[in-house]
Amino acid sequence: MVTRSDRLLRTAYLLTHDWASAEDLLQESLAKAWFAWARVEEPEAYVRKVLVTTYTSWWRRRWRRELPSDDLPDTPASDPVSDDRDALWRAVGRLPARQRAVVVLRVDETMVKELHR
């Protein structure tokens, strides 16, 4: 798993969009996978499945609420590429947890590298 941990962490990041949460998610997923390790034929695929199911259970448990605000924040000017990337993340963020997991798992490795540039 040492050679695959970067890819698994990247997948966790794409699910959570937060590096600290991604590290926690991967660590918890690896701990869960440890109990079945002797029976696992494809370790990376198995850990990915545990990663997604763990993320989904986290997402379901999280309390979601709106935080009203009287003042609208100022929006700084930014470059169009950054705006497109932000719009993509917002769109992915609006997907339900399972759909977001499917999108993340379908993303090609080259797309992942492009998104993190």
Side-chain angles (χ1 to χ4, degrees), residues 15-31:
L15 290 168
T16 63
H17 204 206
D18 177 64
W19 285 111
S21 295
E23 289 171 350
D24 291 344
L25 177 60
L26 179 57
Q27 182 176 356
E28 185 172 331
S29 299
L30 288 170

Side-chain angles (χ1 to χ4, degrees), residues 69-81:
S69 173
D70 291 336
D71 301 326
L72 294 176
D74 291 333
T75 54
S78 60
D79 65 280
V81 173

Side-chain angles (χ1 to χ4, degrees), residues 12 32 49-50 68 80 109:
K32 287 180 177 182
K49 181 173 175 63
V50 173
E109 286 295 321

Side-chain angles (χ1 to χ4, degrees), residues 14-15 17 55 59 62 64 84-101 103:
L14 289 171
L15 290 168
H17 204 206
Y55 166 72
W59 184 83
R62 189 173 67 195
R64 298 175 151 247
D84 289 345
R85 195 173 294 135
D86 290 342
L88 175 64
W89 278 118
R90 282 192 304 275
V92 169
R94 286 191 302 268
L95 293 173
R98 285 186 175 180
Q99 288 179 358
R100 186 178 323 152
V103 168

Side-chain angles (χ1 to χ4, degrees), residues 91-112:
V92 169
R94 286 191 302 268
L95 293 173
R98 285 186 175 180
Q99 288 179 358
R100 186 178 323 152
V102 169
V103 168
V104 166
L105 293 174
R106 294 284 184 192
V107 171
D108 185 61
E109 286 295 321
T110 56
M111 284 289 288
V112 171

